[in-house]
Amino acid sequence: MIKGSWTQKPTYLGQSDLIVDLPGQPQVEFRHYASYVRINEDKSMFYWFYKAVKAPSKKPLLLWLNGGPGCSTIAKGALQELGPFLVTNDGSNLVFNPYTWSNVANLLFLESPVGVGFSYSNKSSDLENQNDEIIAKDTYTFLINWFIKFPEFKSHEFYIAGESYADVAVPMQSTRDSIMSMNLTEKIGDMWGGWRKWYYEGQIAGWMVEYVEGLSFITIRGAGHMVPTDAPGRALTIFSQFIKGGTLPNSTNTKI
């Protein structure tokens, strides 16, 4: 729901998608945008884009996708997990999320595939005939057209992240087997093999293996299916260190 209007002359196409206010929205200084991007004459996909809380021109761009397939990225990822606004338990208000990933990146949430959330098609056959290849092509077309709306972000570092369906398609053991097949060199850990503990706020947050070639395989202790909801601080720490090219704390005294 968009309230109010934007009277300043747009400097780029995306400016017309600016959200001025939302019911129950806390006062914030960053800007956020929501609207449709046309895929073809029948399909349109809905997005919600939050500029980083501070210095968005210097932060990377992250595309977040929820899984299912069929789970709303707006309802889950944006408003229950890593977006800057969270819906209160009674649904009456929005509160600021101190663990939002927009602390370290510009966040782009996409309702995908077509038929999920506000993304739609005028042809029922588009909803009945979905597969990974079609979804990937639609997402690619979305990004090409979205960058026309926001050309200033073409030069930013770009990341894609998500949850759920990726876990089904590439389960943990298959991931480990794939990594092992690369014959990478494990760094020395403090446990079995190359595994070591990593810490968050003085406690063991999970276990990880680091490889000399630059790859890391990380687990989060006690996290459920929706990691940014179950372990928001640890999830933000992992993402923040990833985009900075850093590593996770290996003792209770290590500071990030």
Side-chain angles (χ1 to χ4, degrees):
M1 181 182 296
I2 300 176
K3 177 182 177 182
S5 61
W6 179 252
T7 57
Q8 180 176 327
K9 183 178 180 180
T11 56
Y12 50 85
L13 292 175
Q15 195 77 311
S16 61
D17 297 344
L18 177 69
I19 297 178
V20 179
D21 192 17
L22 289 172
Q25 176 188 309
Q27 193 74 24
V28 293
E29 295 184 2
F30 61 85
R31 291 184 173 182
H32 54 116
Y33 307 77
S35 190
Y36 287 95
V37 169
R38 192 173 184 181
I39 306 304
N40 57 35
E41 61 182 10
D42 294 305
K43 294 181 180 180
S44 290
M45 301 184 78
F46 187 82
Y47 79 90
W48 197 347
F49 172 54
Y50 303 89
K51 286 190 174 181
V53 173
K54 294 182 179 179
S57 63
K58 299 179 180 179
K59 301 286 174 59
L61 173 65
L62 171 72
L63 171 66
W64 176 270
L65 301 169
N66 275 82
C71 178
S72 169
T73 300
I74 303 300
K76 291 291 186 180
L79 294 173
Q80 294 188 43
E81 299 187 82
L82 58 138
F85 303 132
L86 301 178
V87 179
T88 56
N89 290 335
D90 62 5
S92 63
N93 278 302
L94 299 174
V95 294
F96 181 73
N97 176 13
Y99 299 106
T100 175
W101 290 17
S102 62
N103 285 317
V104 295
N106 299 283
L107 302 183
L108 176 58
F109 295 91
L110 172 63
E111 295 276 56
S112 176
V114 166
V116 172
F118 297 117
S119 294
Y120 71 90
S121 175
N122 295 319
K123 293 171 59 178
S124 58
S125 59
D126 285 336
L127 307 180
E128 297 165 355
N129 301 318
Q130 294 275 17
N131 58 49
D132 291 343
E133 183 176 355
I134 292 173
I135 294 171
K137 288 181 178 179
D138 286 349
T139 302
Y140 176 78
T141 302
F142 165 83
L143 286 171
I144 294 299
N145 293 334
W146 186 87
F147 279 117
I148 294 175
K149 282 177 172 275
F150 296 92
E152 72 274 28
F153 286 94
K154 287 182 179 180
S155 60
H156 288 229
E157 289 186 355
F158 178 62
Y159 300 92
I160 300 176
E163 67 183 14
S164 184
Y165 188 63
D167 296 337
V168 175
V170 190
M172 180 176 176
Q173 188 56 49
S174 294
T175 302
R176 283 288 294 156
D177 290 343
S178 297
I179 292 174
M180 292 177 66
S181 69
M182 298 179 192
N183 295 317
L184 302 178
T185 304
E186 294 180 350
K187 294 183 179 180
I188 298 176
D190 57 9
M191 301 173 65
W192 61 92
W195 287 90
R196 75 165 176 85
K197 301 180 287 290
W198 69 276
Y199 292 81
Y200 175 74
E201 294 186 343
Q203 297 185 357
I204 296 175
W207 295 266
M208 64 182 295
V209 179
E210 294 177 292
Y211 297 89
V212 174
E213 292 79 1
L215 185 68
S216 296
F217 182 73
I218 303 168
T219 66
I220 300 179
R221 181 173 66 89
H225 187 59
M226 297 168 62
V227 176
T229 298
D230 299 327
R234 284 173 279 170
L236 176 59
T237 296
I238 289 176
F239 178 63
S240 177
Q241 290 302 102
F242 173 74
I243 62 176
K244 290 192 297 186
T247 188
L248 296 172
N250 58 10
S251 75
T252 57
N253 298 320
T254 305
K255 300 292 185 181
I256 294 181

